[in-house]
Structures are given as structure tokens and as C-alpha cells.
Amino acid sequence: CASGAAQCSRGCALRFASLSIMKSGEACEQNSLAQSEEEKIAWATKMRREFSPEEMLQEDGSIDQEYFRVPSDAADNSRGVWKQKNYELLAQGIEEFGVGRWGQIREKFLPDWEDHELRIKTQRLLGIQSLDRYRGWSGDKAAIETLKAKHQAIGKACDSLKGGILVRDDQGLVDQELAKIDLEKIAPPS
């Protein structure tokens, strides 16, 4: 059985599958590439420690979410503070145009705010960090509240809430639970 590792330009070891060929030439057997969850987490922790700024990590190698928080004195308040009325307008924009259509939402409902700010406020409104699976989804205020409640429940069950926002976990439990949400039952297509 031949196996080996190669070095990439950053010196990371790359793993390759090894084949074991029987002398009779009748069969090949591929070694298992499956790693235990502990090995995956250990590898991710090692990569974080190697490539992330030290102040971004907690002692155990997990990401310190506070690192990404913008200091309150750095906020641009030239347009004022985001108010409940802005969330209501954002919800109307999501109902009319769908998640991810920031330009259209901004143009019609929230002209004083930038697209990236609307994305961040949508994350807060839906209670989830990654909006990928919701791109184009539209729902009314009740559907948005239902979806946020589901995200909160998943976050509590998987211990994956950061600042009230559902974030993905290293084990993939959050993604498994998100896959169970039927968006058409929450907000049927019109």
C-alpha cells in the first residue's frame, strides 16, 4: 500500500487516498478517508491557530466572536440610529423583493442605508448569520417572525447562538437542522 503527503506553498500537509492492490491483481481496496469528528475539530483548531490573528481566538482555539464586534465609538451615526420602523420597512422590502435584493429594497424603502448594512440588518431580522439558503426567499412579517423563532430554537438546541444570531457549528448540526425547515410551509410562493 502506497501513501504519501505533499506540501503546498504554505507548508500544509495534503492527504491523498492510498490504494492497496492485491498481488493477484483482482481487487483494489481504497483506504478510508473518513475522519472522526474529533480529528476534524482538531484540524480546524490547528488551522485557526496557524493562520488567524492571536487576538481572534479563545484559549481553546475556537473563534472569539467579540473580535468581530465593531466598537460602539466606531459606529457611523451620521444617518441616525436604526429604529424599529427601519426593521418594518426592511420586512416590507423582503416581502416585496426577497432576501438579497438589497438594491431594490434600498431604493424603495431605505434609501439612506447601504446594501451591506441592509444585509447585516436582515441577518438580525431573521436571526441567522448565513443568508445563503434564503437568497430570493420572501415572506411577510409573520413568516419572518416564524423563521426567526425556528433559528432561535435551533441555536439553543445546538448551542450555536452568538449575540442572538444562529451561526454554523463545526459538527454540522446546525446545517442538519436547517435542512428540516420547509420554507414553502412558512411562506408559500405567490
Side-chain angles (χ1 to χ4, degrees), residues 124-135:
R124 175 84 42 211
L125 187 65
L126 296 179
I128 189 165
Q129 183 179 33
S130 175
L131 297 174
D132 292 344
R133 80 183 303 260
Y134 302 105
R135 191 148 319 275

Side-chain angles (χ1 to χ4, degrees), residues 111-182:
D112 294 335
W113 299 90
E114 299 294 328
D115 291 5
H116 72 276
E117 293 169 312
L118 297 179
R119 178 185 51 80
I120 291 168
K121 296 302 182 179
T122 300
Q123 291 172 324
R124 175 84 42 211
L125 187 65
L126 296 179
I128 189 165
Q129 183 179 33
S130 175
L131 297 174
D132 292 344
R133 80 183 303 260
Y134 302 105
R135 191 148 319 275
W137 177 82
S138 60
D140 61 11
K141 186 176 178 181
I144 290 170
E145 290 172 2
T146 299
L147 198 54
K148 183 173 185 173
K150 287 183 179 292
H151 293 151
Q152 295 294 306
I154 291 169
K156 288 176 184 172
C158 297
D159 194 28
S160 290
L161 285 177
K162 303 289 184 192
I165 302 293
L166 178 63
V167 297
R168 289 186 166 134
D169 60 337
D170 290 335
Q171 296 81 17
L173 299 175
V174 169
D175 287 331
Q176 289 173 9
E177 292 302 313
L178 286 173
K180 296 176 185 176
I181 296 176
D182 185 352

Side-chain angles (χ1 to χ4, degrees), residues 79-93:
R79 290 172 304 233
V81 178
W82 186 272
K83 296 183 168 70
Q84 184 59 35
K85 178 66 177 165
N86 296 104
Y87 277 116
E88 292 169 10
L89 291 170
L90 179 57
Q92 288 177 21

Side-chain angles (χ1 to χ4, degrees), residues 4-185:
Q7 297 290 326
C8 72
S9 61
R10 290 188 175 171
C12 304
L14 301 175
R15 292 187 172 183
F16 294 99
S18 60
L19 297 176
S20 174
I21 302 173
M22 298 176 69
K23 289 189 180 197
S24 66
E26 294 178 6
C28 288
E29 183 180 331
Q30 185 172 8
N31 286 342
S32 173
L33 293 177
Q35 296 176 327
S36 69
E37 288 302 313
E38 293 83 22
E39 288 173 322
K40 289 178 184 178
I41 293 169
W43 179 84
T45 301
K46 179 182 173 192
M47 292 295 105
R48 283 189 201 117
R49 285 190 171 136
E50 189 169 334
F51 296 109
S52 300
E54 192 173 307
E55 61 273 11
M56 186 174 120
L57 302 176
Q58 296 181 6
E59 286 182 31
D60 66 355
S62 62
I63 295 174
D64 182 359
Q65 296 297 322
E66 291 298 316
Y67 177 82
F68 298 99
R69 190 175 305 274
V70 177
S72 59
D73 61 345
D76 175 14
N77 291 327
S78 62
R79 290 172 304 233
V81 178
W82 186 272
K83 296 183 168 70
Q84 184 59 35
K85 178 66 177 165
N86 296 104
Y87 277 116
E88 292 169 10
L89 291 170
L90 179 57
Q92 288 177 21
I94 290 171
E95 182 176 6
E96 186 169 328
F97 299 111
V99 172
R101 306 260 164 62
W102 316 127
Q104 293 169 305
I105 293 170
R106 179 177 36 81
E107 191 174 302
K108 183 166 182 180
F109 295 101
L110 295 157
D112 294 335
W113 299 90
E114 299 294 328
D115 291 5
H116 72 276
E117 293 169 312
L118 297 179
R119 178 185 51 80
I120 291 168
K121 296 302 182 179
T122 300
Q123 291 172 324
R124 175 84 42 211
L125 187 65
L126 296 179
I128 189 165
Q129 183 179 33
S130 175
L131 297 174
D132 292 344
R133 80 183 303 260
Y134 302 105
R135 191 148 319 275
W137 177 82
S138 60
D140 61 11
K141 186 176 178 181
I144 290 170
E145 290 172 2
T146 299
L147 198 54
K148 183 173 185 173
K150 287 183 179 292
H151 293 151
Q152 295 294 306
I154 291 169
K156 288 176 184 172
C158 297
D159 194 28
S160 290
L161 285 177
K162 303 289 184 192
I165 302 293
L166 178 63
V167 297
R168 289 186 166 134
D169 60 337
D170 290 335
Q171 296 81 17
L173 299 175
V174 169
D175 287 331
Q176 289 173 9
E177 292 302 313
L178 286 173
K180 296 176 185 176
I181 296 176
D182 185 352
L183 293 175
E184 288 189 12
K185 286 186 179 176

